[in-house]
Amino acid sequence: MTFRRLDRNPLITRDDIPDIPPHVIDPSSVFNPGVVKTDDGVRFLLRVQTRGRRTFLVPARSEDGIDIEVADFVADVDGLDAVGEEVFHLYDARLSVIDGQGYAVFAADVPGACRLVTAKTDDFERFEVIGVDANEDLRNGVLFPEKVGGRYLRLDRPNEVDLPGQPGSGHRIRLSESDDAATWKPVGPVMAGRWHYFDELIGAGPPPLRTDAGWLLVYHGIATHFASSNIYQAGVALLDLCDPTKVIARGIDNVLEPREPWELTGQVPNVVFPTGLVAMEGEGRETRVLLYYGAADTVVGVAESTIGALIDAAVEGG
């Protein structure tokens, strides 16, 4: 397995979330964190679910990426009325810093669809909505950590697959671009799911990391053909630095799959769902990276690898 789980797992559980009256009291779960490394440490935005199945976003921070200090307040998101529809849940934030400015891309559940909401932030605690993809059913939006060709780039996933009794899903990752990070237009497809294998349905995980070999993308893949139980896993690919619609290499095997009891059992069983990837100490191929993921939609897990090991996992697959 390319990623090795740390001994401190699960990293964050419901017991780590303080009561935040009147919003969060004795929550049911915490999972799918947005994560980004900044000048003052590693910042998190946790998806916290209440016993009433309401969703709140709770900030957290860490100096080393392991010892986590969870805030005693919920994040403020200003301007959500720009969605123009009732928002049932705002969740699964992906965090980025571009040219010194913090950004988040949220999923927003609205009647019959999901919208992507982009916001700016100076502290990863208060967010200002700057754009909404109001005309498409999308999920898994992640910003590249720097502009390419003078434009902001985003990976997203159109929800084009209907799953019986479940929200829409998708089988392809797409590249979109923007001049202002607010209004987006599609550029083209990046890669599609591989039927009969671990990644039949796919979506971008954390924002990609720049490496000498290309943009390093950890994505989630869903195997749907095991009876009635979907299995969420993590895969890895390398995208061209100048044109990320070009896939340089893509691993044939997953780099992390549900194995531990807390990944196999929970609100949604058999799930590792990657949402944060940060480069820690080291240089080049020896750079240590930490992957943060939701486990069984119930807790947050963390695993480590190196840039070199992930590149090798992608290249060995093609």
Side-chain angles (χ1 to χ4, degrees), residues 186-202:
V187 175
V190 176
M191 60 187 195
R194 297 180 287 200
W195 193 244
H196 298 299
Y197 298 100
F198 86 87
D199 50 359
E200 296 176 306
L201 304 177
I202 60 174

Side-chain angles (χ1 to χ4, degrees), residues 144 148 153-155 172-177 185-192 215 217 237-250:
F144 283 68
V148 177
L153 295 184
R154 184 185 75 186
L155 297 173
R172 66 185 178 97
I173 295 173
R174 185 181 71 180
L175 182 71
S176 297
E177 66 178 13
K185 63 179 181 180
V187 175
V190 176
M191 60 187 195
W215 290 110
L217 174 68
L238 286 171
L239 310 180
D240 186 85
L241 291 175
C242 297
D243 181 3
T245 63
K246 297 179 180 178
V247 178
I248 298 170
R250 180 178 178 183

Side-chain angles (χ1 to χ4, degrees), residues 228-278:
S228 60
S229 180
N230 292 340
I231 303 177
Y232 284 71
Q233 299 144 88
V236 65
L238 286 171
L239 310 180
D240 186 85
L241 291 175
C242 297
D243 181 3
T245 63
K246 297 179 180 178
V247 178
I248 298 170
R250 180 178 178 183
I252 195 169
D253 293 325
N254 70 51
V255 291
L256 189 70
E257 66 183 13
R259 291 187 178 181
E260 297 299 316
W262 42 276
E263 298 166 343
L264 296 167
T265 303
Q267 291 192 124
V268 182
N270 305 321
V271 171
V272 296
F273 190 79
T275 52
L277 184 68
V278 296

Side-chain angles (χ1 to χ4, degrees), residues 20 24 32 45-48 55-59 73-77 90-93 106-107 125 127:
I20 310 172
V24 177
N32 297 2
L45 196 59
L46 308 174
R47 175 180 176 178
V48 175
T55 298
F56 290 96
L57 299 168
V58 177
F73 54 88
V74 300
D76 178 58
V77 182
L90 191 70
Y91 60 100
D92 288 3
F106 304 101
E125 297 175 356
F127 298 84

Side-chain angles (χ1 to χ4, degrees), residues 267-317:
Q267 291 192 124
V268 182
N270 305 321
V271 171
V272 296
F273 190 79
T275 52
L277 184 68
V278 296
M280 302 301 286
E281 68 277 359
E283 296 183 2
R285 288 178 54 88
E286 303 307 313
T287 302
R288 175 174 172 258
V289 295
L290 293 177
L291 177 72
Y292 300 89
Y293 58 96
D297 277 17
T298 304
V299 297
V300 174
V302 62
E304 68 178 357
S305 187
T306 65
I307 292 291
L310 291 172
I311 290 173
D312 290 345
V315 172
E316 289 169 3

